[in-house]
Amino acid sequence: MVKKYENADGSSNVKSFAELRQWQKERRSKKKDLSFVVSRADPDLALLTANRSEPTVTFVGHSTFLVQLGGLNIVTDPVWASRMGFAPRLSPPGLPIGSLPPIDVVVLSHAHYDHLHLGSLRRLPGDFVVLVPEGLAGWFRRKGFERVQELSWWSETRVGDVTFGFVPAKHWTRRTPWDTNSSHWGGWVMRHDSDCLYFAGDSGYDGTFRRIGEKYGDIRVALIPIGAYEPEWFMGGSHMTPEEALRTFADVGARYFVPMHYGAFRLADDTPREALDRLNAEWERLGLPEGRRWTMEHGQTKLWSAAKTSF
């Protein structure tokens, strides 16, 4: 019997057909301005190719980042797909897949198609190890990937000089009608010395985030989703609003906030502009320092280090 996974609160986030039909009915009645496109920066390929010492994060799009930490080139949720189902990508990837340096580690948050794209995985350069949630290693091995490590919540592994911790999120997963929640989901904390980055994956808001902050302490950079939250009655258990994303930021105690999971694919009814406007309004309401919000262009690279950044 295949094991089924759930959230820390016991929920599965599986929606009924009636709920799905109600959402689609609501969606047809909405008029949205889809003209906004996330701006694009020319990627610093010289830096990314040569760098093996400075911690960096580069926004490719959606939940895909190139993270350079502890001498490793790490990719999160690699998706360079030009379409998601029948919907075309809203903005091209900020870093062409052919321009990547050799990848050492891939971290996967869960198996949904907008986070796990087989075609992208097969095109990644380098002899990389893939770190995946519990229940997903078998899928990778069947697809021909041999260097796979499967982790459960709160477990850790080490690659080179970097420690990778798999931490909870509130979500669900499915790739076919028959494999709902047959693997887990979560986020990743990556630490090298005093430099620590948190990649939240895909999640609704949950009190578990406070435990992540308590366990890992001084997280410098947090990559947190802000999109695919509307309608909130349908999406709320699986995706967080921009306001909830800032609660997550506070809960984990991070220094810098990087919004993600918006601008590349239209997965729900909110638009990238709406998500950013709500984020910026809440940031201002909370009186947070402007320098701690990194709203990155596609292709933009940020250098960060505990020794060089402080407020």
Side-chain angles (χ1 to χ4, degrees):
M1 184 175 179
V2 176
K3 180 178 179 178
K4 294 293 184 179
Y5 294 86
E6 58 186 22
N7 293 302
D9 61 5
S11 64
S12 64
N13 281 341
V14 176
K15 301 296 184 182
S16 69
F17 179 74
E19 288 173 313
L20 179 63
R21 186 170 57 184
Q22 177 61 30
W23 169 35
Q24 294 303 306
K25 181 180 178 181
E26 288 183 14
R27 171 175 260 197
R28 289 191 293 271
S29 69
K30 297 176 182 177
K31 297 185 184 300
K32 293 283 187 173
D33 180 1
L34 301 176
S35 61
F36 173 81
V37 177
V38 175
S39 59
R40 183 181 176 87
D42 291 330
D44 192 341
L45 299 181
L47 167 67
L48 299 176
T49 300
N51 180 44
R52 283 286 179 171
S53 59
E54 295 294 327
T56 74
V57 58
T58 302
F59 191 24
V60 177
H62 197 54
S63 298
T64 307
F65 291 83
L66 171 65
V67 177
Q68 296 182 308
L69 182 63
L72 299 180
N73 292 319
I74 305 158
V75 171
T76 67
D77 287 1
V79 177
W80 271 261
S82 60
R83 308 185 68 84
M84 193 53 54
F86 295 106
R89 193 175 185 121
L90 301 176
S91 181
L95 187 61
I97 198 167
S99 300
L100 289 169
I103 301 305
D104 302 295
V105 182
V106 172
V107 296
L108 264 295
S109 65
H110 65 297
H112 276 147
Y113 281 89
D114 59 313
H115 296 259
L116 170 52
H117 180 241
L118 181 59
S120 298
L121 276 164
R122 287 182 166 159
R123 292 171 58 202
L124 288 175
D127 181 23
F128 51 85
V129 61
V130 188
L131 305 182
V132 304
E134 185 179 353
L136 199 51
W139 183 92
F140 273 85
R141 294 192 177 104
R142 289 193 296 273
K143 301 301 181 182
F145 296 91
E146 298 296 331
R147 299 188 65 204
V148 183
Q149 292 186 38
E150 185 177 279
L151 280 77
S152 57
W153 280 355
W154 303 115
S155 63
E156 296 182 346
T157 191
R158 193 169 177 87
V159 181
D161 293 329
V162 179
T163 299
F164 294 83
F166 186 54
V167 294
K170 187 176 184 180
H171 202 58
W172 68 293
T173 194
R174 179 169 62 210
R175 291 185 72 83
T176 74
W178 305 279
D179 65 357
T180 301
N181 292 350
S182 61
S183 61
H184 221 170
W185 46 87
W188 294 91
V189 176
M190 310 170 208
R191 182 183 292 280
H192 173 253
D193 294 336
S194 57
D195 289 314
C196 186
L197 179 142
Y198 168 55
F199 169 66
D202 202 357
S203 184
Y205 180 74
D206 189 83
T208 307
F209 296 122
R210 287 190 292 274
R211 291 184 60 197
I212 296 171
E214 291 166 358
K215 177 177 175 62
Y216 286 96
D218 188 18
I219 294 173
R220 307 300 296 181
V221 179
L223 316 178
I224 301 176
I226 67 166
Y229 56 81
E230 184 186 331
E232 293 178 33
W233 67 264
F234 186 87
M235 296 291 179
S238 304
H239 296 136
M240 61 183 79
T241 65
E243 295 82 3
E244 290 169 329
L246 289 181
R247 289 177 64 188
T248 301
F249 177 55
D251 285 353
V252 300
R255 183 68 54 141
Y256 299 102
F257 177 94
V258 178
M260 67 172 186
H261 203 266
Y262 74 100
F265 302 107
R266 189 165 189 238
L267 304 174
D269 296 350
D270 51 286
T271 69
R273 181 72 274 167
E274 289 171 341
L276 287 172
D277 285 346
R278 283 180 62 165
L279 174 70
N280 294 338
E282 182 68 0
W283 192 277
E284 183 176 346
R285 188 188 72 82
L286 294 172
L288 297 173
E290 288 296 322
R292 293 178 62 185
R293 178 185 54 207
W294 293 352
T295 304
M296 298 176 66
E297 298 176 294
H298 287 161
Q300 183 179 4
T301 297
K302 285 280 193 180
L303 287 83
W304 55 278
S305 171
K308 297 179 181 179
T309 55
S310 62
F311 275 94

